[in-house]
Amino acid sequence: MPITVSVFGGVVQDLLTITDRPPDDGETVVASSFSMAPGGKGSNSAVAVHRLTRSKPKKKEPSAEAANGPTLADLTYDDDINVRMVGAVGTLDGFGEPLKKNLVECGVNVDGVRVVEGERTAVANILVDAETKANRIMQFPGAAYSVQAEDFMTAESLGGGIRPDLLICQLECHRSAVEQAIETAGREGIDVLLNPSPAFFLMPEYYPHITHLVMNETEAVLLSKMEADDVEQQSWSKVATYFIAELGVKNVVVTLGEKGAYYHNEITSGSVPAEANLTIRDTSGAG
């Protein structure tokens, strides 16, 4: 039986602007470039999982139905791990169907991505500093907020009709929907990986259902309720211990940008250095 990984999160249209410097309050600056691309923390995670768990797919001869591009049936993959996306897109802006098509072309099943009439698809406005490559993101959730807690009462609902072996969540959808998905997964014995971004607090009773908590420095500080000035490289053990000992999370990873990552569980802990000798173009979606 193949392993099924389900990702519940945003299916988002990214609007990417690169500028030599971000504008100050009330200032207008001329950008150096603009582009549009498929995005969303959820969609990015689904595509990343697919690519990391198999070699490059082989294309078959397109079917008659694939005149406008390949369908999932027109691609062959090692099928020991299946990736499924769960979320929603809208109909008011023309972004939804192309985003679903892109996921299919990337090998991700979209049976769990609903199309919501009369709603707009989620959009992320991303501003990138051309020199530092740092980004600022403002996201409009749109149809993503149509997904409600009552949509995740069964194991099968977590995988778009199929019980997953692993559920990956972000916080791009309603908190109540994410919490219910986590609770259902925990009740059904399904592992959960939570990337708490955009960061906001979950009720403490949901943390024991989380198998892997993966967050960046800002999210870790916010959710641990520590003061940013009190957190240093040596403090990550204390931060991780809070989530494990007090909240019941099983494994914690804190991503540290150019400093690598810190990992911690009840058995072991340590740091992993960042990859060296890389040219960084844009960190959007890298989390």
Side-chain angles (χ1 to χ4, degrees), residues 155-218:
E156 291 73 21
S157 65
L158 302 176
I162 293 178
R163 174 193 173 96
D165 298 282
L166 171 66
L167 173 67
I168 299 176
C169 294
Q170 293 79 30
L171 299 179
E172 296 173 294
C173 301
H174 268 304
R175 185 182 76 175
S176 60
V178 177
E179 289 177 336
Q180 182 59 60
I182 292 172
E183 180 182 10
T184 298
R187 184 183 70 239
E188 297 291 338
I190 298 169
D191 286 346
V192 175
L193 186 156
L194 176 66
N195 173 217
S197 179
F200 53 74
F201 293 102
L202 300 180
M203 297 300 289
E205 60 263 31
Y206 297 102
Y207 283 96
H209 300 307
I210 298 173
T211 316
H212 311 282
L213 181 63
V214 181
M215 52 197 164
N216 65 24
E217 298 169 89
T218 302

Side-chain angles (χ1 to χ4, degrees), residues 216-265:
N216 65 24
E217 298 169 89
T218 302
E219 294 152 0
V221 170
L222 174 64
L223 297 178
S224 65
K225 302 179 182 179
M226 295 184 67
E227 295 294 333
D229 293 340
D230 296 335
V231 177
E232 300 175 353
Q233 186 71 17
Q234 297 77 16
S235 305
W236 294 120
S237 175
K238 181 179 178 181
V239 172
T241 299
Y242 166 77
F243 290 104
I244 293 171
E246 295 192 29
L247 295 178
V249 174
K250 298 174 181 63
N251 302 282
V252 173
V253 175
V254 181
T255 58
L256 305 171
E258 71 276 4
K259 297 187 290 293
Y262 176 80
Y263 63 91
H264 193 116
N265 59 33

Side-chain angles (χ1 to χ4, degrees), residues 75-229:
L75 302 173
T76 58
Y77 303 94
D78 303 328
D79 59 359
D80 55 339
I81 298 180
N82 294 329
V83 184
R84 302 173 69 87
M85 186 71 207
V86 176
V89 296
T91 60
L92 293 182
D93 42 39
F95 294 146
E97 288 301 330
L99 289 173
K100 289 181 63 178
K101 177 183 175 183
N102 176 75
L103 285 169
V104 170
E105 292 175 351
C106 290
V108 177
N109 181 285
V110 295
D111 288 351
V113 179
R114 68 180 65 174
V115 178
V116 184
E117 295 290 337
E119 288 282 356
R120 294 189 179 277
T121 302
V123 172
N125 290 284
I126 305 171
L127 184 65
V128 178
D129 187 309
E131 181 177 354
T132 67
K133 312 305 180 186
N135 65 60
R136 296 174 173 86
I137 303 175
M138 182 171 61
Q139 185 161 313
F140 167 68
Y145 267 22
S146 70
V147 182
Q148 301 296 319
E150 55 265 28
D151 296 322
F152 298 107
M153 305 306 292
T154 67
E156 291 73 21
S157 65
L158 302 176
I162 293 178
R163 174 193 173 96
D165 298 282
L166 171 66
L167 173 67
I168 299 176
C169 294
Q170 293 79 30
L171 299 179
E172 296 173 294
C173 301
H174 268 304
R175 185 182 76 175
S176 60
V178 177
E179 289 177 336
Q180 182 59 60
I182 292 172
E183 180 182 10
T184 298
R187 184 183 70 239
E188 297 291 338
I190 298 169
D191 286 346
V192 175
L193 186 156
L194 176 66
N195 173 217
S197 179
F200 53 74
F201 293 102
L202 300 180
M203 297 300 289
E205 60 263 31
Y206 297 102
Y207 283 96
H209 300 307
I210 298 173
T211 316
H212 311 282
L213 181 63
V214 181
M215 52 197 164
N216 65 24
E217 298 169 89
T218 302
E219 294 152 0
V221 170
L222 174 64
L223 297 178
S224 65
K225 302 179 182 179
M226 295 184 67
E227 295 294 333
D229 293 340

